[in-house]
Amino acid sequence: MRAGINSLTAALLVGVAIGLVLTPDGRAWLRRPTLLFGSSANASAPAVEPAPPPVAAGPALPTVTPLKDRLAQRRALRVGVFGDSMADGLWTGLYRELNGQPGVTVTKFSEVSTGLSRYDYVDIQDKTARQIAETPVDVAVILFGTNDAQGISIDGQIHDFGSAGWKVAYAKRVDDLVALLRSRDVMVYWVGLPRMKRASFDGKMAVINEVVSARLAALNVPYLSTVALTSDAEGDYDAYLAATDTGRRQLMRANDGIHMSMAGYLRITEPVEAAIRRDAGLVAPAAASPEATGT
């Protein structure tokens, strides 16, 4: 009888081991087990955080040709929008506001379900290098983050979202992407994530905004925050906000509390459009012709 029980136990342990090896969660447990077989350890106790990867100095960014000079030399300005599904909406807004400007084109390079955390899924660094080699741009507008509240794997070690190691790894990916674009003489504008409906998700997006804004300040690269633009007077989430032109309340957000309505995307487009127009010396639409202003 004892031999039968021992055989059954052995078979059970072998099955568990196989299951751990063959499933992603199992492999993650094997890398950092929270409870050993036969141990009385507290499974809910916090795991020891992996050591963060070495902190490298930020890249020395090359200077880029001023946008005004590009327009004067080539009478053309090529704007590219990079990012995730949120950036898709930003591209729509920029295309609507800028694409009709003489010499200006706005191209979509963004892709849904992508981000800077999971390079095992889509390596944004490699993808961006291919994109700008095939379709050169003068300006890169970047908006990533809605898919990035997850761990980052570096050299086989997973750094949990928000940990010190994660922040170092994410900051390096921001540095690397900006350095790639600047090395190709591309002006970079990075757009921050908006206010989110669910408090827990909003907190995660705030962590990403904090890391990104700090890195771009260190690199002297324009960072355009959208939190205030997408918050009510008390600084909270509200799907309906007053339009900047008429003051009337408009539906700004999609039902998921993450993405925007068209009015919302146009709202976060405003500071980006203004920055590009300022730096390129483009006149605002209302001042484009005397007839439009009645002068």
Side-chain angles (χ1 to χ4, degrees), residues 232-233 238-244 246-252 263 267:
D232 64 14
D238 193 337
Y240 287 83
L241 296 171
T244 53
T246 65
R248 296 179 180 176
R249 281 172 59 81
Q250 288 182 298
L251 177 63
M252 299 287 180
R267 189 180 184 87

Side-chain angles (χ1 to χ4, degrees), residues 12-13 34 38 52-53 64 67 72 93 103 105 107 115 123-124 126 145 170 203 211 220 239 258-259 269 275-276:
L12 177 61
L13 291 176
T34 55
V64 294
L67 301 188
T105 58
T107 303
D123 188 320
I124 295 299
D126 288 346
Y170 199 83
V211 173
N220 196 28
I258 298 174
H259 296 89
T269 294
I276 294 174

Side-chain angles (χ1 to χ4, degrees), residues 213-233:
S213 61
R215 285 314 306 151
L216 296 182
L219 298 172
N220 196 28
V221 170
Y223 172 79
L224 306 172
S225 176
T226 63
V227 173
L229 274 178
T230 53
S231 305
D232 64 14

Side-chain angles (χ1 to χ4, degrees), residues 13-207:
L13 291 176
V14 170
V16 169
I18 293 173
L20 289 173
V21 172
L22 294 180
T23 63
D25 289 343
R27 290 192 294 272
W29 186 92
L30 287 171
R31 285 192 293 270
R32 195 196 310 166
T34 55
L35 185 63
L36 298 176
F37 293 115
S39 171
S40 59
N42 182 4
S44 63
V48 177
E49 182 181 316
V55 180
L61 299 180
T63 57
V64 294
T65 305
L67 301 188
K68 288 182 180 179
D69 293 347
R70 299 177 201 233
L71 272 176
Q73 294 165 6
R74 297 190 291 105
R75 298 188 179 277
L77 189 68
R78 302 162 298 183
V79 179
V81 181
F82 302 80
D84 53 25
S85 56
M86 189 74 75
D88 283 356
L90 182 62
W91 166 78
T92 302
L94 282 173
Y95 185 90
R96 170 173 163 170
E97 300 301 321
L98 288 177
N99 205 64
Q101 185 80 33
V104 179
T105 58
V106 183
T107 303
K108 187 178 88 70
F109 296 97
S110 54
E111 181 182 355
V112 300
S113 302
T114 60
L116 303 184
S117 288
R118 292 291 304 277
Y119 277 17
D120 59 320
Y121 174 60
V122 176
D123 188 320
I124 295 299
Q125 188 78 5
D126 288 346
K127 178 183 177 182
T128 304
R130 292 193 303 270
Q131 288 175 319
I132 61 178
E134 296 170 358
T135 308
V137 296
D138 302 299
V139 178
V141 178
I142 303 174
L143 175 51
F144 278 113
T146 55
N147 303 306
D148 285 343
Q150 52 187 311
I152 295 178
S153 178
I154 302 291
D155 298 328
Q157 191 175 54
I158 296 178
H159 299 275
D160 293 334
F161 173 76
S163 66
W166 184 93
K167 291 179 179 179
V168 170
Y170 199 83
K172 185 177 186 306
R173 291 185 175 178
V174 172
D175 286 0
D176 290 346
L177 185 56
V178 172
L180 166 68
L181 291 161
R182 289 287 291 266
S183 71
R184 306 297 198 276
D185 198 26
V186 177
M187 177 71 80
V188 176
Y189 299 88
W190 201 297
V191 182
L193 293 157
R195 175 75 68 199
M196 300 296 177
K197 180 178 182 179
R198 187 157 46 91
S200 59
F201 189 67
D202 187 60
K204 293 176 180 178
M205 298 301 100
V207 170

